[in-house]
Amino acid sequence: MSDVRDVIIIGSGPAGLTAAIYAARANLAPLMIEGVTWGGQLQLTTEVENFPGFVDGIMGPELMQTLRDQAARFGTEFVTDNVDRVDFSARPFRVWVGDREFRSHSVIISTGATAKMLDLPSEQRLLGHGVSTCATCDGFFFRGQEIAVVGGGDSAVEEANFLTRFASTVHLIHRRDSLRASKIMADRAAANPKITFHWNTVVDEVLGDGRVEGLALTDTTTGVSSTLPVGALFVAIGHDPNSSLFTGQLALDENGYLLTSGGSTSTSIEGVFGSGDVVDHVYRQAITAAGSGCQAAIDCERWLESQHAGAH
């Protein structure tokens, strides 16, 4: 049994690592339980060009390593493993990694979200090489090319509209015969001459070696297979917040996102704070996650101060 810590941070994407930098500089000696695969979704991206401060862009994994090194420099302690369960019913809060129990006065949750994928081996192989889950991150790289978006909800239609700024044609592939997106979004897409709709169509395979060269498609009504030459595939079928650990302990919305209150990062339990994509289903950017990690650390520090719990 370890001593009671000031703060434990669960998760290690831009939100968690920024929270760690701020918490460590506030002398809170944070313990970050970073997960077996640390670094969040940016570990799956190649080049990041929209993170402020990097004129020529930076590779996703390199950016995460830089943030991690910075957090370590100020004294963050890391456990490279997954949290198995938590108990927020009483303070100090308890967090388990296997048989090891850690206790703390406060917790910052930054477990992120996972993009839903098509579950194709070729999709995994080409992730970051033309297969993407973020148009605002990667659309710029495919200027003048034909590209595809798969999905039929608001996010898919929004991505398709956004991508017409760069692409010569955007192929919107949907397995049904009508969009699930809101009427205003659907109408906007229908009116966009650069969007071509492929109804009742599923993606069987992403084609290409080292980069995306096309898609193998099947029409679900006729069974006819075809090939669509495109330079990129944007998968926009939604995200799942990584919040199952907290079910029954913290308030979540109907989609599983952590609820925070009143413009702060405070969750439904005093002393537990939420940041990054496990809270945010709107922006989902590295920079907004980092910003909310900063907010969580400041909220946490002020709360500890008010409790006189921090060992200062």
Side-chain angles (χ1 to χ4, degrees), residues 19-52:
I21 291 166
Y22 274 78
R25 291 187 76 251
N27 289 327
L28 297 179
L31 171 69
M32 169 173 279
I33 305 176
E34 60 181 350
V36 174
T37 53
W38 67 274
Q41 294 182 79
L42 280 186
Q43 292 286 30
L44 304 174
T45 55
T46 45
E47 199 152 5
V48 179
E49 286 197 333
N50 57 5
F51 199 90

Side-chain angles (χ1 to χ4, degrees), residues 231-276:
L233 171 65
F234 289 85
V235 182
I237 55 177
H239 286 75
D240 287 321
N242 302 324
S243 62
S244 55
L245 260 182
F246 315 113
T247 306
Q249 301 210 45
L250 294 174
L252 309 173
D253 75 6
E254 66 275 11
N255 295 313
Y257 287 90
L258 214 54
L259 288 171
T260 53
S261 60
S264 77
T265 60
S266 303
T267 68
S268 57
I269 290 182
E270 204 182 320
V272 180
F273 303 87
S275 64

Side-chain angles (χ1 to χ4, degrees), residues 15-185:
L17 287 167
T18 304
I21 291 166
Y22 274 78
R25 291 187 76 251
N27 289 327
L28 297 179
L31 171 69
M32 169 173 279
I33 305 176
E34 60 181 350
V36 174
T37 53
W38 67 274
Q41 294 182 79
L42 280 186
Q43 292 286 30
L44 304 174
T45 55
T46 45
E47 199 152 5
V48 179
E49 286 197 333
N50 57 5
F51 199 90
F54 298 95
V55 179
D56 300 314
I58 184 170
M59 301 304 273
E62 187 189 346
L63 176 58
M64 296 320 298
Q65 187 65 57
T66 304
L67 289 179
R68 191 179 188 278
D69 291 347
Q70 193 174 357
R73 178 190 157 206
F74 293 118
T76 302
E77 188 186 335
F78 295 91
V79 172
T80 310
D81 213 331
N82 296 333
V83 173
D84 294 303
R85 62 193 176 98
V86 297
D87 183 355
F88 295 155
S89 63
R91 292 206 295 267
F93 301 122
R94 301 195 293 166
V95 176
W96 284 268
V97 174
D99 294 333
R100 285 192 293 168
E101 181 185 324
F102 300 94
R103 296 184 301 160
S104 74
H105 296 297
S106 65
V107 174
I108 293 173
I109 295 167
S110 50
T111 46
T114 305
K116 294 179 187 173
M117 302 298 283
L118 302 171
D119 294 331
L120 305 171
S122 54
E123 170 192 52
Q124 288 301 324
R125 188 166 44 82
L126 291 164
L127 195 60
H129 300 277
V131 174
S132 172
T133 57
C134 179
T136 46
C137 314
D138 299 327
F140 181 83
F141 299 118
F142 303 100
R143 195 176 281 283
Q145 297 187 35
E146 293 202 25
I147 57 183
V149 175
V150 65
D154 274 349
S155 59
V157 176
E158 200 172 324
E159 302 242 305
N161 272 314
F162 176 80
L163 288 165
T164 59
R165 299 180 191 188
F166 311 106
S168 57
T169 303
V170 174
H171 298 273
L172 186 57
I173 299 163
H174 188 38
R175 62 186 175 182
R176 299 195 177 90
D177 60 0
S178 62
L179 296 170
R180 292 192 319 279
S182 59
K183 183 163 167 32
I184 188 165
M185 294 292 293

